[in-house]
Amino acid sequence: MSENWTAVDQLLESLLLPEDEALGAALAAAEKAGLPPIQVPPVQGRFLHLLARAIGARRVLEFGTLGGYSTIWLARALPAGGRLTSLEVNPSYAEVARANLERAGVGDRVEVVVGPAIESLPALTGETFDLTFIDADKPSTADYFDWAVAHTRPGGLVVVDNVVRRGGILDESTAGDDAANVAGIRRFLAAAGSDPRVDVTALQTVGSKGHDGFALAVVN
Ligand SMILES: C[S@@+](CC[C@H](N)C(=O)[O-])C[C@H]1O[C@@H](n2cnc3c(N)ncnc32)[C@H](O)[C@@H]1O
């Protein structure tokens, strides 16, 4: 079945997504540098890009840069004067990302901040964001979401990735390799669902990255 999901993703990419040298080069550079291939798939990168454009996002925050793949998609949605801050704990990943962002021509509008995201947030407390993409360490997702909602304008969006985990979120016992991530995502879902500051949903997805899903919240 997953072979089929990958083939469908490839078909959708070939029909809907233009060939993109900078994004291809970013993935190649990340692979060469030994980064894990855990970036969003192309169709989801474009989805994030379209969301940002649809709401006219000028100020974007990202948790989890990796090699800057989703960052490039989001940064390209920004109008002149728009800015994106991306938080990454791993300095060598951030270095790869900065080179990728420069090559993609968006280095001037993106700041990659190195350090544990939770420690980078105090410097951003005076800011208001239009869109936040949360895609870092899953156990902290609820904390990032809480902060993001408090710092996102009414009508702004918070997107949270990897909230289905091949159905792993069904396992309440939180045993297994993914236990801490599952517990973190369940904590996030429970908090988001009862948070009066947002209206939220989540969608399951299948594709080249298997069975997963994302949550989308609009700030009230
Ligand atoms: C799934 S990857 C991000 C993928 C990226 N958003 C993309 O789609 O191209 C998760 C990233 O979060 C970073 N990360 C993990 N723990 C973190 C933390 N405490 N603070 C900031 N970044 C963290 C990892 O180093 C990794 O690069």
Side-chain angles (χ1 to χ4, degrees), residues 9-10 12-14 17-18 23 27 39-49 69 73 208-209:
D9 255 359
Q10 284 165 352
L12 295 175
E13 285 164 30
S14 72
L17 273 58
L23 287 169
L27 292 179
Q39 71 284 343
V40 294
V43 288
Q44 192 181 345
R46 191 138 215 234
F47 180 73
L48 291 168
H49 171 92
Y69 183 78
W73 276 111
S208 56
K209 303 278 174 172

Side-chain angles (χ1 to χ4, degrees), residues 31-124:
E31 189 182 354
K32 193 168 170 216
L35 273 57
I38 52 173
Q39 71 284 343
V40 294
V43 288
Q44 192 181 345
R46 191 138 215 234
F47 180 73
L48 291 168
H49 171 92
L50 295 176
L51 278 182
R53 273 181 42 200
I55 64 160
R58 301 182 60 83
R59 190 72 184 99
V60 172
L61 176 64
E62 177 177 64
F63 291 77
T65 319
L66 192 66
Y69 183 78
S70 55
T71 323
I72 293 172
W73 276 111
L74 285 164
R76 284 177 171 174
L78 295 171
R83 285 184 305 129
L84 188 158
T85 301
S86 188
L87 309 178
E88 173 56 54
V89 74
N90 187 315
S92 61
Y93 292 3
E95 203 177 304
V96 173
R98 286 187 185 119
N100 283 338
L101 291 158
E102 282 301 327
R103 193 187 305 104
V106 294
D108 58 334
R109 67 193 88 153
V110 178
E111 185 186 11
V112 180
V113 179
V114 176
I118 214 78
E119 292 176 17
S120 302
L121 292 176
L124 298 169

Side-chain angles (χ1 to χ4, degrees), residues 38 40 44 48 51 60-65 70 74 85-87 117-118 121 131-150 152 157-163 165 184-185 188 192 197-198 212-217 219:
I38 52 173
V40 294
Q44 192 181 345
L48 291 168
L51 278 182
V60 172
L61 176 64
E62 177 177 64
F63 291 77
T65 319
S70 55
L74 285 164
T85 301
S86 188
L87 309 178
I118 214 78
L121 292 176
L131 186 152
T132 299
F133 178 46
I134 300 177
D135 188 21
D137 50 317
K138 307 307 167 184
S140 305
T141 299
D143 306 313
Y144 299 156
F145 183 79
D146 182 56
W147 192 97
V149 170
T152 300
L157 302 178
V158 182
V159 184
V160 181
D161 204 16
N162 309 125
V163 303
R165 320 197 66 74
I185 293 300
F188 152 68
R197 300 173 298 169
V198 295
D212 210 331
F214 63 88
L216 174 66
V219 176

Side-chain angles (χ1 to χ4, degrees), residues 3-19:
E3 256 173 44
N4 208 13
W5 297 341
T6 299
V8 170
D9 255 359
Q10 284 165 352
L11 178 70
L12 295 175
E13 285 164 30
S14 72
L15 293 174
L16 303 178
L17 273 58
E19 283 288 322

